[in-house]
RNA sequence: GCCCAGAUGGCGGAAUUGGUAGACGCGCUGGUUUCAGGUACCAGUGGUGGCAACACCGUGGGGGUUCGAGUCCCUUUCUGGGCACCA
C-alpha cells in the first residue's frame, strides 16, 4: 500500500486545536518587534471562493513567516458588514439584512478558518455592530465639529437602480461601480466630507509611500489632479457681477474670443435679467436640456454644444467685449464653472469655435516660427507671444508670470491651484448603514447628537419582499426632539457610505473592546503603522485614498502618532481566473473553498495558489495544476512520516557531510530557507520560487531515501516541517507532532540560512569562445583565471574552435564563466 | 488620445545586480509496479539536422551598444490595466 497523506482528518484536527489554544493571538506586550500585517477585510456576501483564498493565503504566509522570523505579528480579521447587497437581499426576499449578514459572517468565518489561516480572532470586528458604528458616529461628529463634515446642495451622482447617491470615486465610466447602471445628475442636499482640505498633503505624501506600487500612487496623483494656474476676473457688461475663470495658460489671455460657462453657474440668473426675453428663454431651454444629464453624458458622450447668452464680458486687459456662451463641455464643479475660450491654443475651445463660427485669435507661435499662418489645429504648446501688447515676444513661461503680476496689481486676478479631487459625498439614501448622528431642528438647524447619546441605533424594521424604503419612512426614528432646545426635530435619515467604516477599522483592531474611545492612542502608538497591507488594486482611489485622509485627520487630532500615513507597505494581489475567465455565479465556474478543501485538501490549495504565479500576477485556477501540489504533499509525507520515530530534536543540528549527494541535500534545505526568508523580508513575496526550490529539495530527499538514512537526510526530514509551516501549516504541524514535539511547529524559529550549508565546492565553469558556449567543465570553487584557462585548453571542443585563431583576450567571471575572444 | 505594466517551449512560470535561457510544475511520450487506479516510480520532452559527438536557430518584430543582451538603448507591433473635455 502506498502511504498517502490523509489530509481531511489532519487538517480538521489542527484547525480545532489552533483555535482552542488561541495560537495566533497577538499580545500587546511582548519582547519582540511588532509587525502589523493585514488583508483588506471582506464584505460578508455569502460564500468564499478560491479567488478570496489567493488573497488570504498570501497574507497568511507572510504573517506566519514573519512570526517564525521572530516578530510579534498582529494579523486580524473582520467584516465590512454594512452595505447594499444585504439590503438588496432583504428587499428581494423580505428578510432582515442583519440576520442575512450574521449568517454570512458565520459561514465565511468558518471558510476562512477552513483555509488554515492564523488570525487573532479575539480582535474580530463587524462594522454593523452598534459597538463599532457607535464610533463611526463619534468620528463623524469630530469631523463635523472641525467643519470637515458639512451638508450642502450640489449636483450629485444618482444611481436610479440602487436608489442612492454615489461618491465621485464610485462612478466608473459614468456608471455605478456596483450595479453598472448609468448614473444621473441630481441637485440634492447631501453630507460631504472635506477631503479637499487635505488634497495637498494627500498628494505630497504619496512621495513618502515607497512601499506602495507605483501605479497606485500614480492613480491617486491623477485622481487628486493638481493644476497650478491663475484665476482671472471678467466683468460682465451691464452687471455689477463678474465671472471668474481658472486657467493654466495665462500666456494665452490675449487670445480669448469668448467665455464658456456651465449652465449651472450663478451668473446665469443675473444674465437672464439683462438679455432679451428670447435669449432668456433659450438659456432656460438649454439648461433644462442638460439638467439631468450626468457629467459623462454631457462631456464624453455628447458633441460640444452651446448657446450665446446675448451678454458680454469685458476682457480685463484689452477691455474688449467678449461674448458669453453657455456650453455643455464646461464642468460646473471645476475651476469655478467658467472657462476663457482660447480657440487658437486649446483643443476643446478650437473644436467649439469651429462648430459655432467663433473667432480664432492666435497669440502664441513656436519659437522658431516668425509669422502667423492660419491654424488647421490649435497650437497647444508653449512658445513666443504675439499680438499681446507689451507681452509680445515674451516666452510663454515669462508671460505667465508677467501677466499674473499685472492682473494682481489691477485686482482682477490671482495665482491659484485647482484640484480634480472633490469632496467625498458620504450620504446614502439606504437603510443598511450607519445612521448619520445629526438632528434637524427648525430653530437650531443641524445639531450634533450629543456623544453620550451614541450610538444612534439603526431602528429594526420589517422588510417586505419587493419594497424599498429608507430610514425616512420610519416615523418613530425620524421624529425626535432637538438636543439643544428640546423643540420638535427630525433625525437625519441618510446613512453613511460604507467606505466610512473601512477608513479606520485597522485602528479598531488594536482596541476592539474599548467602550470609552474608538481606540487608545497608546495602542495606536505601539502598533501603527500597518507594516504590510494586502488587497486588490480596485481600491486604489477609494478605500486607500479615504483611509489616508482619515488617518491624517486622526494625526492632526493627536489620536495617532508617528508617520501620518496608515499603510507603510501595500501589495496588490492579482486576480484569479478559472481557465482564463473571471469566476462568477452566472458563468457557473466558481471554484468554492469547501469543495476544494474536500477534494484536494487545504494545504494543497494554499501551495497551488502561491506556486502558480507570482502573487501580483493574474493567475489561473486549473484542476490539473492543484494535483501537482497534492503530489508534492504526498511525496513530503512519504519522505518524512516513516522516519518520524527516528528524528527528534537531536537531529536538528546541521550535520557535517563530505559526500557530494549529502552536501547537495543540506544545501537544498538552506536554499529553501533562504528563499522563504528573502522573499518575505524583501516584500516581494514570490513564494512561487520558494516552493519550486521546495520541490527540488523533496526530489533530492526522495532520491536519498534508503533503509539506512544518512545524517543529512535525517536532518532534512527533521527540519522540513519548519520550512513548510508558513505555506502548508497542517501537514507541517502533523509531522512535527509525530516527531514527538509537544508544542506547535508554528512557534518555532524559522530555519536560519547557513552560509556553510549554502556554499558550493564544485562549480560548472562555462567556457565561451567569442560569446558562444563551447564547453561546461566541472571545477573546484574559487579557481583562478589561469587554472580556468588551463582547464579550458584541455577541452577538445574548445581547442577545435580555437584552431587557427589568435587569442586576443579572455574575460573571466569568478566561479562562473571564461570567455575567450579570438579571431 | 494620454499614462503605467507586460510579451520567454503545448501551458503556468524561472533566470532580483548584463554572464550556462527554459529551474520547478502542468501537460504530453515511452517504460516499471499493481487484481485494479485521475493521485506511485523511472526516463524523455524549445526547434532543425545528425547514430552520436556536436552544429545551427531561438526570449513579439526591426536596429544598436557590448567580449557577452531575455536583461541596457532606439524604434515598432500586440496585450492587460488606469485616466479620459479638469480649462
Amino acid at each position: 500500500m502506498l502511504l498517502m497523506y490523509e489530509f481531511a482528518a489532519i487538517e480538521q484536527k489542527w484547525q480545532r486545536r489552533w483555535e482552542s489554544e488561541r495560537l495566533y493571538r497577538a499580545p500587546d506586550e511582548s519582547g519582540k518587534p511588532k509587525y502589523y500585517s493585514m488583508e483588506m477585510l471582506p464584505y460578508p456576501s455569502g460564500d468564499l471562493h478560491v479567488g478570496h483564498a489567493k488573497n488570504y493565503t498570501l497574507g497568511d504566509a507572510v504573517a506566519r513567516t514573519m512570526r517564525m522570523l521572530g516578530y510579534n505579528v498582529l494579523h486580524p480579521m473582520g467584516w465590512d458588514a454594512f452595505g447594499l447587497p444585504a439590503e438588496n437581499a432583504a428587499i428581494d426576499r423580505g428578510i432582515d439584512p442583519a440576520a442575512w449578514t450574521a449568517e454570512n459572517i458565520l459561514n465565511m468565518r468558518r471558510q476562512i478558518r477552513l483555509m488554515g489561516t492564523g488570525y487573532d480572532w479575539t480582535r474580530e470586528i463587524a462594522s454593523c455592530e452598534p459597538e463599532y458604528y457607535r464610533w463611526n458616529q463619534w468620528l463623524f461628529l469630530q469631523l463635523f465639529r472641525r467643519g470637515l463634515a458639512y451638508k450642502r446642495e450640489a449636483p450629485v451622482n444618482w444611481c436610479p437602480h440602487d436608489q442612492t447617491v454615489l461618491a465621485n470615486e464610485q462612478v466608473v465610466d459614468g456608471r455605478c461601480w456596483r450595479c453598472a447602471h448609468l448614473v444621473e445628475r441630481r441637485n440634492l442636499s447631501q453630507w460631504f466630507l472635506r477631503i479637499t482640505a487635505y488634497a495637498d498633503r494627500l498628494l505630497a505624501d504619496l512621495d513618502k509611500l515607497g512601499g506602495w506600487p507605483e501605479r497606485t500612487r500614480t492613480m491617486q496623483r491623477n485622481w487628486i489632479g493638481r493644476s497650478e494656474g491663475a484665476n482671472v476676473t471678467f466683468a460682465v457688461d451691464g452687471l455689477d457681477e463678474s465671472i471668474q475663470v481658472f486657467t493654466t495658460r495665462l500666456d494665452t489671455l490675449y487670445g480669448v474670443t469668448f467665455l464658456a460657462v456651465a449652465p449651472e453657474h450663478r451668473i446665469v440668473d443675473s444674465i437672464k435679467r439683462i438679455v432679451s426675453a428670447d435669449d432668456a428663454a433659450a438659456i432656460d431651454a438649454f439648461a433644462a436640456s442638460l439638467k439631468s444629464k450626468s457629467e459623462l453624458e454631457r462631456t464624453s458622450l455628447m458633441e460640444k454644444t452651446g448657446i450665446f447668452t446675448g451678454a458680454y464680458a469685458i476682457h480685463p486687459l484689452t477691455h474688449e467685449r467678449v461674448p458669453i456662451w453657455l456650453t455643455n463641455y464646461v464642468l460646473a464643479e471645476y475651476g469655478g464653472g467658467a472657462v476663457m475660450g482660447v480657440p487658437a491654443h486649446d483643443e476643446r475651445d478650437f473644436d467649439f469655435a469651429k462648430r459655432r463660427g467663433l473667432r480664432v485669435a492666435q497669440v502664441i507661435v513656436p519659437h522658431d516660427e516668425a509669422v502667423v499662418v492660419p491654424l488647421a489645429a490649435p497650437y497647444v504648446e508653449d512658445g513666443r507671444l504675439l499680438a499681446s501688447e507689451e507681452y509680445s515676444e515674451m516666452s510663454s513661461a515669462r508671460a505667465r508670470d508677467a501677466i499674473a503680476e499685472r492682473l494682481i496689481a489691477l485686482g482682477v486676478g490671482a495665482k491659484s491651484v485647482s484640484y480634480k479631487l472633490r469632496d467625498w459625498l458620504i450620504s446614502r439614501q439606504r437603510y443598511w448603514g450607519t445612521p448619520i448622528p445629526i438632528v434637524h431642528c427648525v430653530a437650531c438647524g443641524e445639531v450634533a447628537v450629543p456623544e453620550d447619546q451614541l450610538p444612534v441605533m439603526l431602528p429594526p424594521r420589517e422588510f417586505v419582499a419587493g419594497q424599498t424604503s429608507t430610514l425616512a419612512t420610519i416615523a418613530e426614528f425620524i421624529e425626535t426632539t432637538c438636543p439643544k432646545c428640546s423643540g420638535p426635530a427630525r433625525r437625519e435619515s441618510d446613512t453613511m457610505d460604507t467606505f466610512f467604516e473601512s477608513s479606520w477599522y485597522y485602528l479598531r483592531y488594536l482596541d476592539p473592546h474599548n467602550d470609552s474611545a474608538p481606540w487608545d492612542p497608546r495602542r495606536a502608538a505601539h502598533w501603527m503603522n500597518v507594516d504590510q497591507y494586502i488587497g486588490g488594486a480596485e481600491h486604489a482611489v477609494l478605500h486607500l485614498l479615504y483611509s489616508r485622509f482619515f488617518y491624517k485627520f486622526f494625526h492632526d487630532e493627536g489620536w495617532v502618532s508617528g508617520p501620518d500615513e496608515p499603510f507603510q507597505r501595500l501589495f496588490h494581489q492579482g486576480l484569479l481566473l478559472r481557465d482564463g475567465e473571471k469566476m462568477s455565479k452566472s458563468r457557473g465556474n466558481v471554484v468554492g473553498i469547501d469543495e476544494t478543501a474536500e477534494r484536494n485538501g487545504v494545504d494543497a490549495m494554499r501551495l497551488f495558489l502561491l506556486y502558480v504565479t507570482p502573487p501580483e500576477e493574474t493567475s489561473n485556477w486549473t484542476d490539473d495544476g492543484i494535483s501537482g501540489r497534492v503530489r508534492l504533499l504526498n511525496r513530503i509525507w512519504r519522505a518524512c512520516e516513516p522516519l518520524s520515530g527516528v528524528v527528534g530534536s537531536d537531529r536538528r543540528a546541521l550535520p557535517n557531510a563530505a559526500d557530494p549527494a549529502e552536501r547537495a541535500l543540506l544545501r537544498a534545505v538552506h536554499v529553501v530557507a533562504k528563499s522563504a526568508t528573502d522573499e518575505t523580508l524583501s516584500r516581494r513575496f514570490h513564494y512561487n520560487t520558494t516552493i519550486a526550490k521546495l520541490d527540488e529539495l523533496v526530489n533530492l530527499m526522495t532520491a536519498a531515501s534508503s533503509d539506512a538514512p544518512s545524517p543529512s537526510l535525517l536532518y532534512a526530514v527533521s527540519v522540513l516541517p519548519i520550512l513548510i509551516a508558513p505555506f502548508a501549516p497542517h501537514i507541517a504541524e502533523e509531522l512535527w507532532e509525530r516527531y514527538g514535539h509537544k508544542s506547535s511547529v508554528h512557534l518555532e524559529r524559522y530555519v536560519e540560512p547557513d552560509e556553510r550549508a549554502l556554499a558550493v565546492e564544485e562549480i560548472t565553469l562555462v567556457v565561451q569562445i567569442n560569446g558562444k558556449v563551447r564547453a561546461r567543465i566541472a571545477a573546484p570553487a574559487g579557481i583562478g583565471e589561469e587554472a580556468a584557462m588551463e582547464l579550458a585548453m584541455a577541452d577538445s571542443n574548445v581547442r577545435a574552435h580555437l584552431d587557427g585563431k589568435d587569442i586576443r583576450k579572455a574575460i573571466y567571471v569568478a566561479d562562473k564563466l571564461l570567455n575567450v575572444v579570438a579571431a
Side-chain angles (χ1 to χ4, degrees):
Chain A
M1 269 301 277
L2 263 172
L3 195 51
M4 296 285 288
Y5 166 51
E6 302 290 341
F7 57 80
I10 290 170
E11 289 177 349
Q12 256 191 35
K13 164 185 160 186
W14 288 108
Q15 285 167 19
R16 290 213 183 99
R17 202 171 299 176
W18 294 334
E19 193 185 332
S20 69
E21 291 174 2
R22 301 201 163 174
L23 193 63
Y24 307 110
R25 207 159 42 87
D28 288 309
E29 301 291 333
S30 80
K32 302 172 183 172
K34 71 97 186 176
Y35 190 81
Y36 189 178
S37 183
M38 198 175 79
E39 297 99 63
M40 289 181 187
L41 87 176
Y43 181 82
S45 56
D47 262 310
L48 292 176
H49 57 69
V50 288
H52 302 101
K54 179 177 173 178
N55 189 20
Y56 301 125
T57 298
L58 177 65
D60 196 55
V62 171
R64 285 180 183 277
T65 310
M66 288 306 288
R67 197 177 285 126
M68 295 181 81
L69 288 172
Y71 290 83
N72 182 31
V73 174
L74 173 56
H75 191 215
M77 179 48 71
W79 310 99
D80 184 19
F82 272 139
L84 212 43
E87 187 166 348
N88 287 341
I91 292 165
D92 285 347
R93 298 177 222 165
I95 54 171
D96 180 5
W100 183 89
T101 302
E103 203 175 294
N104 285 340
I105 288 176
L106 209 62
N107 183 50
M108 284 173 62
R109 189 193 291 122
R110 176 189 65 78
Q111 289 182 314
I112 285 177
R113 281 185 170 138
L114 181 63
M115 294 178 205
T117 49
Y119 290 108
D120 181 351
W121 288 102
T122 65
R123 296 171 182 269
E124 181 182 8
I125 56 162
S127 60
C128 64
E129 300 288 346
E131 297 79 54
Y132 189 90
Y133 71 71
R134 167 186 179 185
W135 297 111
N136 230 28
Q137 293 172 336
W138 186 86
L139 289 170
F140 176 90
L141 292 178
Q142 309 314 309
L143 288 159
F144 182 66
R145 184 169 55 84
R146 293 291 187 197
L148 293 168
Y150 65 93
K151 194 171 196 180
R152 74 167 167 124
E153 185 172 307
V156 295
N157 307 298
W158 172 264
C159 175
H161 178 264
D162 286 346
Q163 292 283 302
T164 184
V165 296
L166 297 167
N168 244 12
E169 289 79 6
Q170 292 160 351
V171 180
V172 179
D173 291 335
R175 293 171 179 277
C176 171
W177 69 308
R178 195 183 282 291
C179 70
H181 280 75
L182 266 182
V183 163
E184 294 170 5
R185 181 187 189 78
R186 289 198 181 180
N187 269 311
L188 293 170
S189 183
Q190 299 287 315
W191 285 96
F192 290 86
L193 298 188
R194 208 178 297 279
I195 189 171
T196 53
Y198 286 79
D200 253 333
R201 283 167 68 187
L202 289 169
L203 182 70
D205 291 349
L206 286 170
D207 293 338
K208 294 184 193 166
L209 298 176
W212 280 39
E214 186 52 48
R215 66 180 164 131
T216 304
R217 292 197 285 168
T218 303
M219 280 169 71
Q220 290 209 356
R221 246 176 233 124
N222 293 341
W223 190 261
I224 294 166
R226 184 179 198 272
S227 290
E228 275 186 40
N231 287 330
V232 184
T233 304
F234 284 75
V236 178
D237 197 9
L239 274 179
D240 274 349
E241 295 165 70
S242 59
I243 298 172
Q244 199 172 67
V245 301
F246 174 75
T247 180
T248 56
R249 291 298 304 276
L250 210 48
D251 52 318
T252 66
L253 187 57
Y254 285 87
V256 173
T257 58
F258 66 99
L259 287 194
V261 176
E264 290 85 356
H265 199 283
R266 278 181 295 111
I267 201 76
V268 173
D269 282 337
S270 308
I271 285 177
K272 281 194 304 194
R273 285 191 271 110
I274 58 165
V275 297
S276 70
D278 283 355
D279 281 338
I283 287 169
D284 283 339
F286 183 74
S289 74
L290 296 174
K291 191 166 186 281
S292 70
K293 291 211 161 52
S294 69
E295 216 166 74
L296 180 89
E297 288 177 280
R298 284 166 64 154
T299 57
S300 302
L301 301 183
M302 273 174 83
E303 306 220 297
K304 288 181 178 58
T305 65
I307 56 155
F308 174 48
T309 57
Y312 291 85
I314 307 296
H315 191 286
L317 297 183
T318 66
H319 306 294
E320 281 173 16
R321 275 161 42 107
V322 179
I324 301 172
W325 285 69
L326 299 190
T327 71
N328 64 327
Y329 74 94
V330 173
L331 303 174
E333 294 286 293
Y334 182 83
V339 171
M340 60 185 213
V342 187
H345 305 294
D346 182 277
E347 299 267 2
R348 300 148 298 189
D349 297 342
F350 187 84
D351 184 17
F352 185 70
K354 284 285 163 195
R355 278 172 196 285
R356 309 314 305 251
L358 295 168
R359 195 162 62 87
V360 178
Q362 186 173 5
V363 294
I364 311 279
V365 289
H367 287 289
D368 53 2
E369 270 177 39
V371 292
V372 174
V373 292
L375 285 168
Y379 177 71
V380 298
E381 306 296 320
D382 276 9
R384 198 175 88 244
L385 271 70
L386 287 182
S388 299
E389 297 180 342
E390 67 259 48
Y391 308 101
S392 297
E393 300 301 325
M394 268 191 195
S395 70
S396 289
R398 273 197 58 207
R400 279 194 285 267
D401 285 337
I403 295 174
E405 270 175 43
R406 170 92 172 279
L407 295 176
I408 291 165
L410 293 170
V412 290
K415 291 206 168 179
S416 174
V417 175
S418 278
Y419 297 91
K420 285 169 65 175
L421 181 71
R422 298 183 202 166
D423 279 342
W424 173 15
L425 199 175
I426 59 152
S427 300
R428 294 294 177 273
Q429 289 71 50
R430 301 301 305 228
Y431 166 80
W432 187 236
T434 301
I436 294 175
I438 292 287
V439 165
H440 299 280
C441 170
V442 183
C444 312
E446 286 156 3
V447 180
V449 172
E451 287 178 17
D452 60 9
Q453 291 175 26
L454 297 184
V456 175
M457 293 289 286
L458 185 64
R461 55 159 288 208
E462 286 283 305
F463 272 82
V464 179
Q467 195 179 307
T468 309
S469 82
T470 67
L471 290 179
T473 62
I474 304 174
E476 51 280 30
F477 174 82
I478 293 298
E479 285 161 22
T480 186
T481 52
C482 174
K484 257 190 198 164
C485 70
S486 301
R490 293 173 61 80
R491 282 193 193 280
E492 172 62 52
S493 62
D494 285 348
T495 54
M496 295 185 205
D497 183 1
T498 59
F499 280 101
F500 195 109
E501 286 101 81
S502 57
S503 294
W504 66 279
Y505 74 105
Y506 45 89
L507 285 158
R508 188 64 180 174
Y509 281 145
L510 309 181
D511 205 0
H513 310 297
N514 191 332
D515 61 5
S516 59
W519 64 85
D520 182 338
R522 283 169 303 181
R523 297 236 189 157
H526 174 66
W527 282 109
M528 290 303 285
N529 303 344
V530 175
D531 294 278
Q532 185 65 57
Y533 197 22
I534 298 175
E538 67 274 15
H539 288 295
V541 290
L542 289 156
H543 165 61
L544 290 167
L545 187 63
Y546 298 148
S547 294
R548 294 183 59 224
F549 160 46
F550 267 41
Y551 201 76
K552 287 183 188 303
F553 170 65
F554 302 157
H555 199 270
D556 291 351
E557 296 292 316
W559 304 331
V560 296
S561 43
D564 61 349
E565 285 287 337
F567 312 127
Q568 280 303 296
R569 288 180 206 86
L570 172 69
F571 190 94
H572 293 312
Q573 84 283 3
L575 292 175
L576 182 70
L577 307 177
R578 167 83 185 271
D579 300 321
E581 290 193 311
K582 215 169 175 177
M583 276 187 220
S584 70
K585 276 185 190 160
S586 53
R587 282 202 180 87
N589 64 348
V590 175
V591 184
I593 299 291
D594 295 278
E595 66 196 77
T596 303
E598 200 178 317
R599 279 171 69 100
N600 306 106
V602 165
D603 283 343
M605 177 188 78
R606 294 171 55 113
L607 285 172
F608 175 73
L609 292 169
L610 293 171
Y611 179 70
V612 63
T613 49
E616 69 275 19
E617 299 293 331
T618 297
S619 46
N620 208 354
W621 179 271
T622 60
D623 292 335
D624 283 337
I626 193 174
S627 64
R629 299 301 89 192
V630 173
R631 279 199 274 272
L632 172 64
L633 288 170
N634 278 322
R635 283 151 59 76
I636 288 172
W637 188 254
R638 280 195 296 274
C640 295
E641 204 280 339
L643 295 171
S644 59
V646 186
V647 298
S649 52
D650 56 329
R651 298 289 182 182
R652 289 167 62 190
L654 183 65
N656 282 310
D659 177 64
E662 287 199 49
R663 296 256 335 140
L665 188 56
L666 295 178
R667 182 159 191 279
V669 168
H670 285 266
V671 164
V672 173
K674 181 166 167 47
S675 174
T677 306
D678 289 352
E679 289 299 337
T680 305
L681 294 178
S682 71
R683 279 101 189 175
R684 208 171 74 126
F685 308 139
H686 283 202
Y687 297 125
N688 54 322
T689 61
T690 306
I691 295 168
K693 284 158 187 162
L694 174 65
D695 274 300
E696 293 188 66
L697 168 61
V698 175
N699 287 344
L700 288 179
M701 289 170 70
T702 303
S705 72
S706 76
D707 294 339
S710 68
S712 301
L713 179 60
L714 290 175
Y715 170 76
V717 167
S718 71
V719 300
L720 191 73
I722 298 175
L723 289 179
I724 63 175
F727 315 113
H730 308 86
I731 192 173
E733 193 82 298
E734 179 67 21
L735 284 170
W736 196 247
E737 186 188 50
R738 292 193 185 205
Y739 291 176
H741 299 290
K742 298 294 177 223
S743 73
S744 168
V745 70
H746 300 293
L747 300 175
E748 295 295 316
R749 279 300 283 258
Y750 205 66
V751 177
E752 192 174 336
D754 185 294
E755 289 306 323
R756 225 165 16 111
L758 288 167
V760 185
E761 275 130 30
E762 192 181 83
I763 56 117
T764 302
L765 178 70
V766 174
V767 182
Q768 294 182 337
I769 295 167
N770 294 332
K772 291 213 171 221
V773 178
R774 296 303 177 188
R776 295 182 173 90
I777 305 168
I783 185 174
E785 179 168 354
E786 274 180 39
M789 187 60 114
E790 235 171 84
L791 271 178
M793 289 310 162
D795 184 273
S796 59
N797 200 41
V798 170
R799 280 211 305 270
H801 279 278
L802 284 174
D803 190 38
K805 289 178 176 168
D806 289 336
I807 296 178
R808 297 280 170 79
K809 64 172 171 175
I811 287 126
Y812 180 63
V813 182
D815 284 346
K816 272 195 180 151
L817 171 137
L818 178 71
N819 187 14
V820 181
V821 184

